[in-house]
mmCIF file of all heavy atoms in Angstrom:
data_model
loop_
_atom_site.group_PDB
_atom_site.id
_atom_site.type_symbol
_atom_site.label_atom_id
_atom_site.label_comp_id
_atom_site.label_asym_id
_atom_site.label_seq_id
_atom_site.Cartn_x
_atom_site.Cartn_y
_atom_site.Cartn_z
ATOM 1 N N ALA A 289 4.659 14.770 2.552
ATOM 2 C CA ALA A 289 5.165 16.080 2.137
ATOM 3 C C ALA A 289 5.686 16.863 3.336
ATOM 4 O O ALA A 289 5.241 16.670 4.478
ATOM 5 C CB ALA A 289 4.067 16.865 1.438
ATOM 6 N N ASN A 382 10.521 73.435 4.510
ATOM 7 C CA ASN A 382 11.894 73.678 4.073
ATOM 8 C C ASN A 382 12.094 73.444 2.579
ATOM 9 O O ASN A 382 12.941 74.100 1.965
ATOM 10 C CB ASN A 382 12.848 72.783 4.870
ATOM 11 C CG ASN A 382 13.042 73.268 6.301
ATOM 12 O OD1 ASN A 382 13.902 74.094 6.578
ATOM 13 N ND2 ASN A 382 12.236 72.762 7.227
ATOM 14 N N SER A 468 16.574 91.060 9.776
ATOM 15 C CA SER A 468 17.984 91.261 10.107
ATOM 16 C C SER A 468 18.718 89.937 9.916
ATOM 17 O O SER A 468 18.746 89.083 10.806
ATOM 18 C CB SER A 468 18.126 91.756 11.557
ATOM 19 O OG SER A 468 19.480 91.910 11.915
ATOM 20 N N GLY A 607 34.091 81.642 19.045
ATOM 21 C CA GLY A 607 33.461 82.377 20.135
ATOM 22 C C GLY A 607 34.193 82.324 21.454
ATOM 23 O O GLY A 607 33.706 82.876 22.447
ATOM 24 N N ASN A 688 0.461 88.308 14.147
ATOM 25 C CA ASN A 688 -0.079 89.585 13.672
ATOM 26 C C ASN A 688 -1.237 90.069 14.541
ATOM 27 O O ASN A 688 -1.370 91.267 14.800
ATOM 28 C CB ASN A 688 -0.521 89.453 12.219
ATOM 29 C CG ASN A 688 0.649 89.310 11.266
ATOM 30 O OD1 ASN A 688 1.750 89.792 11.553
ATOM 31 N ND2 ASN A 688 0.437 88.642 10.159
ATOM 32 N N GLU A 730 37.389 117.991 65.748
ATOM 33 C CA GLU A 730 37.816 117.101 66.817
ATOM 34 C C GLU A 730 37.114 117.389 68.135
ATOM 35 O O GLU A 730 36.936 116.507 68.959
ATOM 36 C CB GLU A 730 39.329 117.201 66.989
ATOM 37 C CG GLU A 730 40.105 116.732 65.743
ATOM 38 C CD GLU A 730 41.600 116.879 65.950
ATOM 39 O OE1 GLU A 730 41.980 117.381 67.020
ATOM 40 O OE2 GLU A 730 42.374 116.483 65.062
ATOM 41 N N ILE A 764 35.953 126.943 61.272
ATOM 42 C CA ILE A 764 34.586 126.581 61.648
ATOM 43 C C ILE A 764 33.912 127.710 62.398
ATOM 44 O O ILE A 764 32.735 128.017 62.189
ATOM 45 C CB ILE A 764 34.604 125.302 62.498
ATOM 46 C CG1 ILE A 764 35.094 124.126 61.637
ATOM 47 C CG2 ILE A 764 33.243 124.985 63.060
ATOM 48 C CD1 ILE A 764 35.263 122.844 62.388
ATOM 49 N N VAL A 767 32.902 130.362 59.967
ATOM 50 C CA VAL A 767 31.709 129.938 59.212
ATOM 51 C C VAL A 767 30.462 130.062 60.066
ATOM 52 O O VAL A 767 29.404 130.515 59.616
ATOM 53 C CB VAL A 767 31.900 128.487 58.717
ATOM 54 C CG1 VAL A 767 30.603 127.969 58.103
ATOM 55 C CG2 VAL A 767 33.008 128.417 57.685
ATOM 56 N N PRO A 796 12.835 131.484 83.416
ATOM 57 C CA PRO A 796 12.189 130.544 84.339
ATOM 58 C C PRO A 796 13.149 129.492 84.875
ATOM 59 O O PRO A 796 13.117 129.151 86.043
ATOM 60 C CB PRO A 796 11.087 129.926 83.488
ATOM 61 C CG PRO A 796 10.780 130.942 82.468
ATOM 62 C CD PRO A 796 12.076 131.584 82.140
ATOM 63 N N LYS A 813 18.712 124.039 110.904
ATOM 64 C CA LYS A 813 19.603 122.944 111.285
ATOM 65 C C LYS A 813 18.961 122.179 112.426
ATOM 66 O O LYS A 813 18.453 122.731 113.361
ATOM 67 C CB LYS A 813 20.958 123.479 111.733
ATOM 68 C CG LYS A 813 21.703 124.193 110.602
ATOM 69 C CD LYS A 813 23.058 124.683 111.095
ATOM 70 C CE LYS A 813 23.824 125.397 109.992
ATOM 71 N NZ LYS A 813 25.143 125.871 110.442
#
Side-chain angles (χ1 to χ4, degrees):
N382 286 273
S468 178
N688 290 333
E730 297 179 357
I764 294 175
V767 172
K813 296 181 180 180

